[in-house]
Amino acid sequence: GFSIGPKDYTIRSIFAVARADGSLNVMDGETGSTLSSYTSHNSRDLYCGLHLTRTSADNIQLLSCTQGGSMRVSEGALSSGSTSPLTEKISWTVVSPVRCMRASAGMTVAAVGGEGRMLALWDVQTQKRTFLAKAPDADFLGLRPKPDVNSIAFLSPEDPRKVLVAGAGQGGAGP
């Protein structure tokens, strides 16, 4: 996965890359060089969502989520010429398996969902779940379809409660 930081003509563009070995790298968008890095303790728990933002011209904040439900906020400094490590500031666990994670524009709310998991919204600062989507109604046989959240998008930067969820549970979308 990857996430692209804001482009500013006085500040270089940056992006984050998650690798299969459990490492995260923050890269310079113009040169491709590594600016900051983090190595996970569990390389089997793959990343399924990243959200990178700048807290100042020289500092970044990265929200990451793994398929096993590990949520982490890490911070780091952007250094020229040398790599600085990301430092874990906040961590918590959400219900797994997680297929996707998106963060609101201000990184105040994280939305997660997955196969067999309804959409849940989490307050990043308090690590508390603030919303859990209602299960779908039962079909004519009284069976409830298994939720399958494949994609999440925030519809409004001003209101992180407005979320669009896409899924294709039971093999497809539509009638």
Side-chain angles (χ1 to χ4, degrees):
F2 68 93
S3 177
I4 299 178
K7 174 71 175 169
D8 185 319
Y9 292 104
T10 61
I11 302 170
R12 65 182 173 251
S13 63
I14 58 173
F15 63 96
V17 177
R19 304 192 187 276
D21 66 359
S23 65
L24 288 172
N25 292 347
V26 177
M27 313 286 285
D28 185 311
E30 296 170 12
T31 67
S33 62
T34 300
L35 302 172
S36 197
S37 62
Y38 178 85
T39 302
S40 173
H41 303 291
N42 183 357
S43 62
R44 293 183 188 157
D45 195 9
L46 300 176
Y47 289 97
C48 61
L50 301 174
H51 181 85
L52 178 66
T53 188
R54 287 184 192 264
T55 55
S56 69
D58 296 325
N59 294 300
I60 57 167
Q61 201 169 50
L62 178 69
L63 174 64
S64 61
C65 180
T66 66
Q67 292 174 351
S70 296
M71 301 284 290
R72 181 181 302 115
V73 176
S74 304
E75 294 180 346
L78 296 176
S79 56
S80 56
S82 64
T83 303
S84 64
L86 291 171
T87 305
E88 185 177 305
K89 295 296 181 184
I90 301 171
S91 65
W92 75 100
T93 304
V94 299
V95 177
S96 64
V98 178
R99 180 171 289 163
C100 58
M101 182 276 300
R102 293 290 181 268
S104 62
M107 207 167 86
T108 57
V109 175
V112 296
E115 185 177 354
R117 301 287 172 233
M118 298 300 298
L119 171 75
L121 300 181
W122 292 81
D123 183 299
V124 173
Q125 294 304 313
T126 64
Q127 300 86 53
K128 303 276 188 222
R129 188 175 67 197
T130 59
F131 174 80
L132 179 63
K134 182 180 161 189
D137 291 334
D139 64 12
F140 70 96
L141 296 173
L143 303 173
R144 292 193 179 273
K146 184 172 133 182
D148 192 5
V149 177
N150 291 319
S151 182
I152 304 168
F154 285 89
L155 298 176
S156 168
E158 295 83 27
D159 188 357
R161 296 172 300 166
K162 295 180 180 176
V163 180
L164 173 68
V165 177
Q170 305 299 322

